[in-house]
Amino acid sequence: MEKWSLMTMTVLLALTVRWAVSLGSYSGAGKPPMYGDYEAQRHWQEITYNLPIKQWYFNTSDNNLLYWGLDYPPLTAYHSFVCAYIAKFINPAWIALHTSRGHESQPHKLFMRATVFVADLLVYIPAVILYCSSLKETSAKKKASTFCVSSALCILLYPGLILIDHGHFQYPLSLGFALWGVLCLSHDWDLLGSVAFCLALNYKQMELYHSLPFFCYLLGKCFKKGLKGKGLVLLAKLAGTVVVSFAACWLPFAADVEQIMQVLRRLFPIDRGLFEACMFSSPPPHCPWPDKVANIWCSLSVLIKIKNIVSPQTQLKLSFAVTFLSLLPACIKLTVQPSLRGFKFALVTCALSFFLFSFQVHEKSILLVAVPVCLIINEIPFMATWFLLVSTFSMLPLLLRDGLLLAYAVTTPAFLAACLASFSILEKTSAEDLQLKAFSLSLKGYVAWFKAFPRIVRSLFLLSLSLMGVLSLLSAAVPPPQSLPDLFPLSVSIVSCLHFLLFLVYFNIVILWDSKNSKSQKKSS
């Protein structure tokens, strides 16, 4: 009873923080002609309500694809239609065809913010609460009553997701569905987990970041059961579940092959090249996707202008090859030795590989890494907290453009304070706490070097915090030199990218040197 009272207070606190952030600005506010993601979501409501389904993804006189054309899978379109149907009852002018373009008003802002709150309350927050409730067995007995509450508090106060969903403007549905998928798999509800992940993938194609861990984990379970018996039955059931789930989502488009192909072209516009610099061949003055993402390609472009010397097709092949090679070790390990713990770590490494090396990455895509990291905050609180802080910092240029400096400056230290209070992270920096014991034992000179390991890690953490704090202050308060107008955004991106590369190495080491067997799976679930 006490646990659920504390959990209720945690949810109320999380909702209060979200409400406070939502009072501020949003993406593209007052910045015509394109505005930003807020206008994109409103425009999709306008299109889906006023036009027949067969025109949703096609360029027509009523649907100019250069003005926030729909480029997410069908489930996003259906969600936009439901929101539009409600908006029509409140104020038809909000979704009037053509005339509602760029509509901005306080009542409409309240409505749009409310739709995000509803999505949070119905999908994302319940998944977090139920997931954290299942973590109680991993804690010490003296902390069992509050352990799940502490985990939920830190996850729900993660500033990156709050600032993007309730500040910048985005729906948490794809991440929420993916989290439901993880929750179902943790209880061996493999078919329900597959349905949940299919919903996530059909809401946002970026959930491909998580697709290989889901696939490898379930395939590994089938192998473990034996492909001549129960394993084959499970494989058939999973395949049927995926086919039926996709068929249900794509049914309105299934009558015409050209419809399906057009949707796919909108979802994967490979002609834009390696960088998601902008969706336009000639970027307008307020292009919402500047070329400052904390991945390897944008960082390298400071020295080597890859897009000027390599063709788009070669860029695609190069990106695919590097991404595939970087995530291959974790996927092989998960397939050969499937465990829930390995599955959660593989979600992190695969998503991070996609973010660092894949094609057309947006700053916000780091959230696809951050949410899986939240799932392991109970296992490695120090490194998880560090990563989540860096992930929020990596989006600083985007947050500053959206007028979210104050929200960023308040929620980030608050999150750090919550993690310090909940997990005493600075006391959990030993090789064993960071789950590097097996790796450290395999190194020569282990005793001499690892005696100083906790102190070294803490020093690096404090140095990292100081560097992020200084760059945040400079970005917000100091005008850049006229000859280097992108100095601070580029610095943020490069510093974040270097962090992410080190985190990728770390998480892969944890996975590959994981000596825990299937007996530990029950504990981690």
Side-chain angles (χ1 to χ4, degrees):
M1 193 68 179
E2 178 188 1
K3 181 183 77 172
W4 290 109
S5 298
L6 292 172
M7 198 69 85
T8 301
M9 294 174 62
T10 298
V11 172
L12 291 175
L13 175 61
L15 290 175
T16 301
V17 173
R18 284 159 167 75
W19 171 77
V21 171
S22 71
L23 295 176
S25 184
Y26 52 82
S27 172
K31 296 179 180 178
M34 294 303 299
Y35 301 93
D37 281 3
Y38 177 94
E39 168 62 11
Q41 297 285 350
R42 188 216 59 78
H43 180 64
W44 294 345
Q45 295 174 21
E46 170 195 346
I47 293 300
T48 54
Y49 187 85
N50 291 287
L51 300 181
I53 288 180
K54 64 181 181 180
Q55 294 185 25
W56 286 358
Y57 291 90
F58 281 87
N59 194 55
T60 67
S61 58
D62 290 326
N63 185 22
N64 180 6
L65 293 182
L66 290 180
Y67 185 80
W68 297 118
L70 192 56
D71 55 3
Y72 283 149
L75 215 56
T76 289
Y78 305 150
H79 176 231
S80 295
F81 176 80
V82 172
C83 291
Y85 197 84
I86 299 171
K88 180 75 172 181
F89 281 102
I90 302 174
N91 189 341
W94 293 347
I95 57 166
L97 190 62
H98 301 310
T99 60
S100 63
R101 180 175 291 192
H103 180 90
E104 292 180 308
S105 67
Q106 193 61 32
H108 184 252
K109 177 184 174 182
L110 179 62
F111 166 75
M112 294 290 279
R113 294 298 198 193
T115 60
V116 180
F117 264 83
V118 170
D120 238 348
L121 280 171
L122 293 182
V123 179
Y124 183 77
I125 291 178
V128 171
I129 298 303
L130 292 176
Y131 174 81
C132 292
S133 297
S134 68
L135 295 176
K136 59 184 178 181
E137 293 183 29
T138 66
S139 63
K141 290 183 179 180
K142 63 180 181 180
K143 296 182 180 180
S145 62
T146 59
F147 185 78
C148 63
V149 177
S150 298
S151 299
L153 176 66
C154 293
I155 295 174
L156 292 176
L157 289 185
Y158 166 54
L161 197 62
I162 294 174
L163 293 170
I164 294 299
D165 287 352
H166 298 272
H168 173 85
F169 199 88
Q170 180 176 275
Y171 291 102
L173 289 174
S174 63
L175 291 170
F177 286 137
L179 188 50
W180 275 104
V182 175
L183 181 64
C184 290
L185 294 190
S186 70
H187 290 86
D188 287 326
W189 301 335
D190 296 333
L191 299 185
L192 285 176
S194 298
V195 171
F197 184 68
C198 285
L199 292 177
L201 193 53
N202 280 286
Y203 192 89
K204 278 191 178 179
Q205 65 270 35
M206 283 80 79
E207 278 298 326
L208 285 169
Y209 283 33
H210 301 145
S211 58
L212 281 175
F214 271 89
F215 175 79
C216 293
Y217 175 68
L218 292 172
L219 182 62
K221 287 188 72 172
C222 293
F223 286 153
K224 197 171 182 179
K225 290 176 180 291
L227 286 181
K228 292 183 179 180
K230 293 182 179 180
L232 182 60
V233 174
L234 177 59
L235 184 61
K237 288 181 178 179
L238 289 169
T241 300
V242 171
V243 170
V244 170
S245 299
F246 269 80
C249 292
W250 287 74
L251 187 60
F253 302 92
D256 187 355
V257 175
E258 181 55 29
Q259 281 275 333
I260 296 177
M261 295 307 298
Q262 174 63 10
V263 176
L264 292 176
R265 283 192 290 268
R266 292 295 300 162
L267 300 187
F268 304 104
I270 60 175
D271 291 338
R272 292 183 196 170
L274 182 62
F275 302 88
E276 171 110 353
C278 189
M279 66 184 293
F280 311 100
S281 56
S282 300
H286 297 290
C287 175
W289 290 317
D291 200 4
K292 309 292 183 295
V293 182
N295 72 351
I296 194 69
W297 307 118
C298 291
S299 297
L300 283 177
S301 69
V302 176
L303 301 175
I304 306 171
K305 301 301 179 184
I306 300 173
K307 57 185 176 181
N308 294 336
I309 60 177
V310 180
S311 68
Q313 289 299 323
T314 304
Q315 293 172 24
L316 177 61
K317 293 175 183 177
L318 175 64
S319 171
F320 175 82
V322 178
T323 304
F324 179 75
L325 290 174
S326 66
L327 54 78
L328 190 60
C331 289
I332 293 176
K333 177 73 181 287
L334 183 60
T335 305
V336 175
Q337 298 178 7
S339 68
L340 182 61
R341 181 174 180 275
F343 168 60
K344 290 188 289 186
F345 274 88
L347 284 172
V348 175
T349 58
C350 289
L352 188 51
S353 292
F354 269 101
F355 179 83
L356 284 170
F357 306 116
S358 67
F359 204 72
Q360 298 177 356
V361 175
H362 192 283
E363 301 106 304
K364 296 180 297 183
S365 298
I366 194 60
L367 297 178
L368 292 158
V369 192
V371 169
V373 171
C374 287
L375 301 183
I376 56 176
I377 196 169
N378 63 299
E379 297 190 45
I380 45 169
F382 177 82
M383 294 300 285
T385 300
W386 192 355
F387 180 91
L388 295 172
L389 289 170
V390 176
S391 68
T392 303
F393 168 74
S394 73
M395 297 183 288
L396 179 62
L398 177 66
L399 300 175
L400 291 177
R401 287 196 303 275
D402 291 341
L404 295 171
L405 174 62
L406 178 60
Y408 166 79
V410 173
T411 57
T412 303
F415 170 74
L416 176 58
C419 292
L420 286 168
S422 299
F423 295 108
S424 303
I425 59 173
L426 293 178
E427 299 174 10
K428 297 182 178 179
T429 56
S430 68
E432 188 171 0
D433 289 327
L434 300 183
Q435 302 193 13
L436 293 173
K437 189 69 175 290
F439 173 71
S440 63
L441 289 172
S442 68
L443 297 178
K444 294 181 180 179
Y446 156 75
V447 175
W449 196 82
F450 271 81
K451 279 183 178 179
F453 185 76
R455 179 167 49 83
I456 294 172
V457 171
R458 283 195 295 269
S459 299
L460 290 175
F461 175 69
L462 295 175
L463 178 63
S464 172
L465 287 185
S466 300
L467 182 58
M468 290 189 289
V470 169
L471 277 176
S472 296
L473 286 173
L474 291 175
S475 300
V478 179
Q482 290 185 353
S483 58
L484 298 170
D486 296 326
L487 174 63
F488 297 137
L490 276 175
S491 299
V492 169
S493 297
I494 293 172
V495 168
S496 300
C497 181
L498 291 174
H499 277 82
F500 293 147
L501 286 170
L502 293 174
F503 280 119
L504 181 63
V505 173
Y506 164 75
F507 285 121
N508 271 291
I509 288 174
V510 172
I511 290 176
L512 297 178
W513 269 265
D514 180 19
S515 59
K516 295 186 178 182
N517 56 28
S518 58
K519 292 181 181 179
S520 66
Q521 184 174 343
K522 294 181 181 179
K523 293 182 180 180
S524 61
S525 65

